[in-house]
């Protein structure tokens, strides 16, 4: 049997029926020869399969192939094209090392700054988002109406409010109240130290479902004899044993059994404690009354319930329970806003830390833009150098999309290289950054959000930096490009040179804006540090009254010992630090007061020698007499309180306050009771030594060290169970501006880096300009031009752009800084010389940057210059 008879019959029929008639005979013959070969090599069965398969391939229309062209255009993102992009990009980077270095360094610095700020912003925006049910947890604030429409928002609430909410508000799933965080002495065996904690009501873990390492935190908090501690505390005090069930002494006066150990709270938690004890373990009578705002209150809403619904249900709650006021309105603030939105005006959250998050977000964008502008400027400046390459590519069929892909891939590769360097810079500087700003930020590469952020930064930077060069270089006609006409522009059309000028102006406008910001914020910080506050804050030492010193008799005995010492000029006690008085009350009444006029004043109780020790100026009257019980019904007021009551001569007049009706015995000159962001408030001081929380000591001039040594000796003698610790009053004042000081440092560092990046770009442009004008400079030198005139010729164009940038940036900087300063009731004036100095600095820095290239070119031998082309 011949080969044809063994082939599949159906295949032969298909070939005969659907095969091309002009080639059928030749094809059949070839297939039969192949079939015979396949039978001999792979066997008959496989040969029949191969024969059938090849018949199918040769049927029309499968056998009719598309016409191929010799110059097909591949897809611009095909692997071959991407490989080509990368190869050309690396070749260009290596060929122009100096410009590549300027671009990479500038972009790396810009991206490092943006990454650091981005990490900081991400950290700020994620406060309390680790909490389960964080979307339903709210912090309770109270709006109080005073003097007509004036509204003040209190962050503290009355103690009975949480129980009332539990009873009356159906939208609330759980409520808890807490004392403010405080440091207490923790004593376990020979381990003694102060640790921060809070007293919380039993609903705490219904609101905050915090994970436990061991024990049952709910049952532990419900028990008055148990304590809940953090994992950190357990590792310190019970390193070799299970903490649950162990005994711990708090403040040397009560022992608690550890009932549960919680996982450590992350740094992005507004709750920060290492121990929790049942609220009732410390509850006092005044904490059960509606008239005292003394606790923090948190609640968790039921699912599918909004804060507005709960607030509506809470209307009238104070009217039902409190007897003294009915103008209160409860406001629920989401716990995720608590860190960012701390400032309230007229009952509404208006700002806080969120302002600095926005400012630094804008600064990060500015710095990235400045770095990208460097790349765009240098790329367009060197565009003429690549004109032949672009022209040839277009002639041989390159489409515009492919050229855009080429240039964008170059910028993206450069962005990627810069990102690697930026990550190394961030990794190196992050420890110092964390130390400086009290953060624990890490480059956690296991976090997909960080990878998304870094990838986005690389792509955005690559697109921003390469967008204009890609669109500009790819847009010309091949003939014009090869003739060099594409890079020449008429007077009626803006070209790359004009665009470069615009970008340089924009870049230096941003830099000038940052210089003005650095100067203004620096001046305001200096003003805050040095302003006289109306009392002696630099030479007053204070310590907390704790342990044995909570006994008034012992405190007074210690104070008496101190004032006998030659190194001590005075000593007093107070319920609050005079520079941070947090107590407010509406209990002030006076003759002639409008019955409907409810006023809020600051209030504080003090002990003996308060005026003498703090250095507050007494304008009229006298201080409280030492140990004079009759003075408990007398009051000291400041000028603001006198103005509030309309009293020109207040001393001798009577007011009604905490201890009943009594005379004003002294008028104090106004001193600052808190941050300089706020105007000085009316203040009433009462004489109540037993209610003191602090002991303040004023050393004699030049004897501070001796006074501190004497103080330590006596404190150890009176309160030996507690470690001796003291602070200067100035430290408490500086803590009020901790946030502003961090902002000042941040703006200084990032402002200097922004200016440095701008100068890198200007240096590159100056070098390119000098290179382009080498022959011109040679001719001018031959014709007798001096070096000075040549330097001026090369520098003037850049300085004009910097001056224009200064003129454009000044009004914007004035407006923004004026808005920032309005946040301070006491502030520096925004003087004209600040802007002149900023402009002078910008011009000086630019001149220094371009002068190197200008002088180098001007000093070049004219013979070499004329041979340069």
């Amino acid at each position: 049997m011949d080969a044809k008879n063994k082939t599949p019959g159906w295949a032969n029929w298909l070939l005969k029926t659907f095969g091309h008639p002009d080639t059928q005979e030749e094809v059949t013959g070839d297939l039969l020869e192949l079939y015979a070969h396949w039978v001999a090599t792979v066997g008959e069965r496989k040969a029949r399969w191969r024969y059938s398969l090849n018949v199918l391939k040769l049927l029309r229309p499968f056998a009719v192939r598309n016409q191929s062209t010799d110059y097909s255009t591949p897809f611009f993102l095909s692997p071959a094209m991407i490989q080509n992009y990368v190869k050309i990009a690396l070749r260009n980077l290596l060929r122009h090392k100096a410009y590549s270095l300027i671009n990479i360094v500038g972009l790396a610095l810009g991206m490092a700054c943006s990454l650091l700020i981005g990490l900081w912003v991400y950290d700020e925006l994620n406060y309390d988002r680790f909490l389960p049910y964080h979307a339903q947890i709210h912090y309770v604030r109270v709006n109080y109406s005073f003097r007509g429409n004036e509204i003040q928002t209190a962050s503290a609430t009355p103690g009975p409010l949480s129980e009332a909410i539990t009873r009356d508000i159906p939208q609330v799933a759980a409520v808890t109240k807490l004392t403010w965080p405080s440091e207490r002495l923790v004593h376990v065996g020979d381990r003694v130290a102060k640790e921060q904690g809070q007293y919380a009501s039993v609903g705490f873990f219904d609101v905050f479902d915090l994970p436990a390492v061991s024990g049952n935190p709910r049952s532990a908090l419900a028990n008055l004899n148990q304590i809940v501690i953090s994992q950190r505390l357990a590792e310190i005090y019970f390193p070799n044993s299970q903490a649950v069930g162990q005994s711990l002494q708090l403040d040397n006066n009560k022992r608690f059994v550890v009932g549960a150990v919680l996982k450590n709270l992350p740094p992005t938690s507004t709750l920060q404690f290492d121990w929790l004890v049942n609220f009732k373990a410390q509850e006092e009578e005044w904490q059960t009354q509606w008239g005292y705002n003394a606790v923090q209150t948190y609640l968790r809403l039921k699912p599918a319930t909004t804060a507005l619904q709960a607030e509506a249900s809470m209307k009238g709650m104070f009217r039902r329970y409190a007897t003294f006021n009915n103008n209160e309105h409860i406001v629920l603030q989401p716990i995720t806003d608590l860190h960012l939105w701390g400032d309230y005006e007229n009952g509404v959250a208006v700002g806080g830390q969120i302002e600095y998050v926005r400012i630094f977000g804008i600064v990060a964008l500015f710095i990235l833009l400045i770095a990208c502008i460097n790349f765009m400027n240098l790329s367009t400046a060197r565009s003429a150098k690549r004109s032949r390459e672009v022209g040839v590519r277009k002639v041989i069929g390159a489409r515009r999309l492919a050229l855009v892909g080429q240039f964008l891939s170059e910028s993206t590769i450069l962005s990627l290289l810069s990102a690697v360097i930026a990550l190394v810079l961030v990794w190196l500087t992050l420890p110092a950054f964390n130390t400086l700003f009290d953060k624990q930020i890490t480059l956690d590469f296991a976090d997909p959000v960080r990878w998304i952020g870094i990838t986005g930064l690389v792509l955005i930077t690559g697109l921003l930096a390469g967008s204009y060069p890609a669109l500009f270089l790819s847009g010309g006609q091949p003939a014009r490009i090869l003739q060099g006409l594409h890079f020449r522009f008429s007077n009626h059309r803006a070209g790359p040179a004009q665009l470069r000028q615009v970008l340089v102006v924009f870049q230096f406008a941003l830099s000038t804006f940052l210089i003005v910001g650095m100067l203004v914020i620096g001046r305001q910080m200096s003003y805050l540090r040095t302003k006289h506050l109306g009392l002696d804050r630099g030479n007053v030492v204070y310590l907390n009254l704790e342990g044995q010193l909570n006994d008034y008799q012992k405190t007074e005995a210690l104070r008496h010992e101190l004032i006998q010492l030659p190194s001590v000029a005075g000593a007093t006690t107070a319920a609050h630090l005079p520079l941070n008085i947090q107590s407010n009350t509406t209990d002030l009444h006076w003759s002639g007061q409008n019955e409907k006029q409810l006023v809020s004043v600051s209030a504080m109780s003090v002990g003996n020698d308060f005026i003498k020790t703090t250095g507050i100026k007494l304008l009229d009257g006298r201080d409280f007499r030492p140990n004079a019980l009759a003075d408990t019904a007398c009051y000291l007021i400041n000028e603001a309180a006198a103005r509030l009551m309309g009293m020109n001569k207040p001393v001798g007049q009577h007011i009604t306050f905490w201890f009943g009706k009594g005379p004003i015995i002294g008028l104090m000159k106004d001193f600052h009771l808190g941050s300089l962001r706020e105007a000085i408030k009316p203040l009433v001081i009462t004489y109540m030594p037993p209610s003191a929380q602090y002991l303040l000591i004023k050393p004699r001039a030049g004897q501070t060290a001796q006074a501190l040594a004497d103080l330590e000796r006596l404190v150890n003698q009176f309160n030996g169970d507690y470690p001796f610790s003291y602070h200067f009053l100035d430290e408490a004042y500086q803590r009020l501006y901790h946030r502003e000081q961090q902002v000042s440092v941040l703006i200084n560092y990032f402002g200097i880096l922004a200016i440095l990046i701008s100068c890198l770009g200007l240096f590159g442009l100056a070098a390119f300009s000098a290179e382009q004008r080498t022959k011109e400079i040679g001719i001018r030198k031959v014709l007798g031009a001096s070096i000075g005139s040549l330097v001026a010729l090369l520098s003037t164009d850049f300085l004009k752009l910097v001056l224009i940038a200064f003129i454009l940036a000044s009004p914007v900087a004035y407006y923004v800084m004026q808005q920032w300063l309005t946040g301070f009731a006491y502030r520096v004036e925004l003087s004209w010389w600040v802007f002149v100095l900023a402009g002078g600095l910008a011009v000086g820095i630019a001149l220094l940057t371009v002068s190197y290239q200008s002088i180098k070119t001007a000093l070049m031998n004219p013979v070499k210059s004329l041979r340069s082309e």
Side-chain angles (χ1 to χ4, degrees):
M1 187 178 291
D2 58 8
K4 185 175 180 180
N5 293 333
K6 295 182 179 179
T7 56
W10 60 271
N12 292 329
W13 177 83
L14 285 175
L15 186 61
K16 183 178 179 181
T17 306
F18 298 105
H20 198 288
D22 297 338
T23 60
Q24 193 174 66
E25 185 176 347
E26 292 82 356
V27 169
T28 303
D30 292 344
L31 283 175
L32 289 174
E33 289 179 7
L34 284 171
Y35 178 77
H37 171 71
W38 289 332
V39 169
T41 55
V42 298
E44 183 177 348
R45 184 169 171 272
K46 287 188 177 178
R48 289 170 66 85
W49 276 108
R50 290 187 181 184
Y51 181 86
S52 302
L53 186 62
N54 278 273
V55 166
L56 292 174
K57 286 181 179 177
L58 291 170
L59 296 180
R60 291 180 295 176
F62 307 115
V64 179
R65 298 180 183 277
N66 293 331
Q67 290 183 347
S68 63
T69 61
D70 293 334
Y71 302 102
S72 60
T73 303
F75 181 54
F76 79 106
L77 288 178
S78 65
M81 289 301 294
I82 292 175
Q83 185 180 5
N84 180 263
Y85 296 156
V86 173
K87 185 185 295 181
I88 294 177
L90 293 175
R91 189 182 297 162
N92 278 315
L93 287 177
L94 295 174
R95 183 178 297 168
H96 309 292
K97 295 184 179 65
Y99 293 103
S100 300
L101 185 65
I102 289 174
N103 275 329
I104 290 174
V105 171
L107 274 180
L109 287 175
M111 293 174 82
C113 292
S114 300
L115 270 174
L116 271 178
I117 295 175
L119 289 170
W120 181 82
V121 168
Y122 181 74
D123 189 76
E124 291 289 310
L125 294 178
N126 274 282
Y127 265 74
D128 292 320
R129 294 187 184 277
F130 73 97
L131 288 169
Y133 315 111
H134 61 262
Q136 297 161 12
I137 300 174
H138 290 72
Y139 184 70
V140 180
R141 294 180 183 271
V142 183
N143 283 343
Y144 293 89
S145 299
F146 298 103
R147 286 174 284 182
N149 295 325
E150 182 184 342
I151 298 176
Q152 291 183 7
T153 303
S155 56
T157 53
L161 180 64
S162 60
E163 288 83 359
I165 291 175
T166 302
R167 284 193 303 269
D168 298 353
I169 310 302
Q171 294 89 353
V172 175
V175 191
T176 186
K177 60 184 175 185
L178 296 92
T179 58
W180 301 93
S182 61
E183 287 191 337
R184 300 299 173 95
L185 197 69
V186 174
H187 196 159
V188 178
D190 57 351
R191 294 184 176 88
V192 181
K194 289 183 179 178
E195 306 290 354
Q196 181 169 287
Q198 290 174 277
Y199 293 90
S201 63
V202 291
F204 180 86
F205 290 105
D206 295 326
V207 177
F208 303 104
D209 189 13
L210 298 176
V213 176
S214 58
N216 185 335
R218 282 180 173 79
S219 62
L221 190 62
N223 193 324
L224 291 175
N225 295 318
Q226 292 192 4
I227 187 171
V228 179
I229 63 174
S230 67
Q231 195 173 2
R232 187 189 74 85
L233 227 59
E235 290 169 355
I236 293 175
Y237 291 95
F238 309 103
N240 302 317
S241 60
Q242 175 68 256
V244 173
Q246 302 279 350
S247 177
L248 177 153
Q249 190 175 27
L250 204 62
D251 261 352
N252 279 344
N253 58 12
K254 185 168 183 180
R255 300 195 73 84
F256 292 93
V257 176
V258 177
V261 177
L262 297 178
K263 282 188 176 179
N264 291 331
L265 291 167
T268 52
S269 171
T270 51
L271 291 171
Q272 290 296 337
F273 60 83
D274 280 310
W275 53 264
L276 273 181
V277 172
N278 190 304
F279 189 87
K280 290 189 178 298
Q282 57 81 52
E283 192 172 39
E284 297 181 21
E285 176 64 24
W286 58 273
Q287 290 176 314
T288 64
Q289 300 176 11
W290 282 87
Y292 293 90
N293 291 338
V295 300
Q296 299 174 296
T297 303
Y298 293 86
L299 59 82
R300 181 166 64 83
L301 297 175
K302 290 179 179 175
T305 303
T306 66
L308 288 177
Q309 291 172 331
E311 286 175 358
S313 299
M314 293 176 188
K315 281 186 178 176
M317 181 168 283
F318 276 81
R319 196 176 296 118
R320 287 198 297 274
Y321 292 101
T323 57
F324 51 89
N325 264 327
N326 54 15
N327 292 319
E328 294 80 3
H329 176 68
I330 293 175
V331 178
L332 300 183
Q333 183 180 29
I335 193 169
T336 48
D337 288 353
L338 195 55
H339 174 69
L340 297 173
W341 298 86
D343 296 342
Y344 275 70
E345 285 182 11
N346 290 323
V348 179
V350 294
Q353 187 71 1
I354 189 67
E355 297 168 9
Y356 296 106
V357 171
R358 289 171 178 161
I359 288 174
F360 284 105
I362 293 171
V363 168
L365 182 63
F366 279 5
I367 293 175
L368 195 60
L369 274 177
I370 289 172
C372 291
I373 287 172
N374 279 352
F375 182 88
M376 294 165 76
N377 272 341
L378 289 176
S379 297
T380 53
R382 298 188 62 77
S383 58
K385 298 281 186 185
R386 300 187 66 178
S387 60
R388 187 170 298 172
E389 173 196 341
V390 175
V392 170
R393 281 172 171 267
K394 287 212 155 197
V395 166
I396 62 176
R399 293 180 180 176
R400 185 174 187 186
L401 203 54
L403 291 172
V404 170
Q406 169 66 53
F407 290 111
L408 285 182
S409 63
E410 287 184 18
S411 62
T412 305
I413 289 172
L414 198 135
S415 170
L416 189 60
L417 291 174
S418 304
V420 173
I421 298 172
L423 281 174
V424 174
L425 290 175
V426 170
W427 180 70
L428 290 173
T429 55
L430 207 48
F433 184 88
N434 283 333
T435 303
L436 200 57
F437 301 107
D438 298 331
K439 290 285 184 184
Q440 297 182 30
I441 300 171
T442 59
L443 270 176
D444 182 11
F445 291 113
D447 184 359
V449 175
R450 281 174 167 73
W451 277 113
I452 292 171
I454 293 169
T455 305
L457 183 65
V458 169
L459 292 178
I460 290 172
T461 306
L463 289 174
L464 271 177
S467 56
Y468 183 76
L471 297 175
F472 169 71
L473 293 175
S474 64
Q477 296 295 325
R480 287 180 59 85
I481 293 173
L482 290 174
Q483 291 171 19
L485 299 177
H486 179 61
F487 304 96
R488 298 177 187 173
F489 295 83
S490 69
N491 293 332
H492 305 291
R493 193 158 63 121
Q498 286 79 13
L499 179 71
R500 283 199 300 278
Q501 291 173 354
V502 171
L503 292 177
V504 168
V505 168
F506 182 66
Q507 196 176 37
F508 267 85
L510 295 180
S511 300
T512 305
F513 176 84
L514 290 174
I515 293 174
V516 172
M518 291 163 59
L519 292 173
V520 173
I521 293 175
R523 286 190 69 220
Q524 178 66 15
M525 289 299 104
S526 175
Y527 175 77
L528 295 178
R529 284 195 300 271
T530 58
K531 179 173 173 40
H532 189 267
L533 303 178
L535 50 73
D536 187 358
R537 63 183 167 99
N539 195 34
V540 174
V541 177
Y542 75 91
L543 51 86
N544 296 321
L545 296 178
E546 54 194 356
Q548 298 296 318
L549 294 181
N550 280 319
D551 184 336
Y552 164 67
Q553 298 297 333
K554 291 190 175 179
T555 302
E556 189 56 26
L558 170 63
R559 195 191 72 84
H560 184 73
E561 292 277 345
L562 284 168
I563 59 177
Q564 304 302 318
L565 296 170
S567 61
V568 175
T572 186
T573 55
H576 299 274
L577 294 177
L579 288 176
N580 192 17
I581 300 175
Q582 296 291 332
S583 174
N584 296 296
T585 179
T586 58
D587 290 342
L588 174 64
H589 302 284
W590 65 94
S591 176
Q593 180 186 13
N594 187 333
E595 291 183 358
K596 296 182 180 179
Q597 184 183 13
L598 186 66
V599 297
S600 172
V601 298
S602 297
M604 179 170 67
S605 297
V606 301
N608 299 318
D609 294 337
F610 176 74
I611 296 294
K612 175 184 174 184
T613 305
T614 56
I616 296 170
K617 188 175 181 181
L618 204 55
L619 298 175
D620 193 14
R622 61 173 176 83
D623 192 2
F624 298 113
R625 292 169 297 184
N627 302 317
L629 291 178
D631 278 0
T632 54
C634 301
Y635 304 103
L636 293 173
I637 65 170
N638 65 353
E639 293 174 287
R643 286 193 296 271
L644 173 70
M645 295 184 288
M647 297 177 179
N648 293 325
K649 295 285 185 182
V651 175
Q653 299 194 48
H654 285 70
I655 59 175
T656 302
F657 201 61
W658 285 348
F659 303 112
K661 190 171 184 178
I664 299 171
I665 61 169
L667 174 65
M668 300 174 292
K669 187 175 177 59
D670 278 343
F671 63 95
H672 290 276
L673 318 179
S675 168
L676 294 191
R677 284 182 173 275
E678 301 173 352
I680 297 175
K681 295 179 180 177
L683 170 68
V684 179
I685 293 181
T686 61
Y687 179 64
M688 182 54 64
S691 65
Q693 298 292 322
Y694 298 96
L695 175 65
L696 292 86
I697 305 99
K698 183 177 184 178
R700 291 192 187 280
Q703 299 187 45
T704 304
Q706 182 58 48
L708 290 174
D710 293 337
L711 179 63
E712 181 176 9
R713 176 177 55 80
L714 286 175
V715 169
N716 287 335
Q717 179 182 331
F718 279 84
N719 196 30
D721 292 336
Y722 280 71
F724 173 69
S725 65
Y726 67 92
H727 305 279
F728 282 92
L729 199 55
D730 195 42
E731 295 173 27
Y733 174 71
Q734 296 296 339
R735 280 198 295 273
L736 296 175
Y737 306 103
H738 185 60
R739 191 173 65 182
E740 284 79 7
Q741 287 167 353
Q742 288 184 340
V743 169
S744 177
V745 174
L746 270 176
I747 201 78
N748 285 342
Y749 282 143
F750 291 127
I752 290 171
L753 279 173
I755 295 165
L756 177 63
I757 296 168
S758 298
C759 290
L760 271 177
L762 201 61
F763 181 83
L765 281 180
F768 176 77
S769 176
E771 181 185 332
Q772 292 294 96
R773 302 178 73 173
T774 302
K775 183 172 285 186
E776 176 194 342
I777 299 300
I779 294 172
R780 287 178 180 271
K781 289 194 74 172
V782 168
L783 294 177
S786 65
I787 293 175
S789 65
L790 292 174
V791 171
L793 176 70
L794 292 168
S795 305
T796 304
D797 289 344
F798 292 107
L799 295 183
K800 284 179 183 174
L801 299 179
V802 176
L803 283 173
I804 293 172
F806 165 69
I807 293 169
L808 293 176
S810 294
V812 178
Y814 177 85
Y815 174 77
V816 174
M817 297 318 303
Q818 189 67 35
Q819 290 298 310
W820 183 75
L821 285 173
T822 53
F824 294 89
Y826 303 90
R827 55 184 179 265
V828 296
E829 292 295 325
L830 203 51
S831 306
W832 60 269
W833 64 263
V834 171
F835 295 89
V836 173
L837 179 59
L841 285 172
V843 171
I845 293 168
L847 186 61
L848 283 174
T849 305
V850 299
S851 60
Y852 170 75
Q853 286 296 340
S854 301
I855 294 171
K856 180 183 172 185
T857 307
L859 291 175
M860 189 179 291
N861 188 335
V863 177
K864 290 184 178 177
S865 301
L866 293 173
R867 286 178 177 172
S868 63
E869 295 183 9

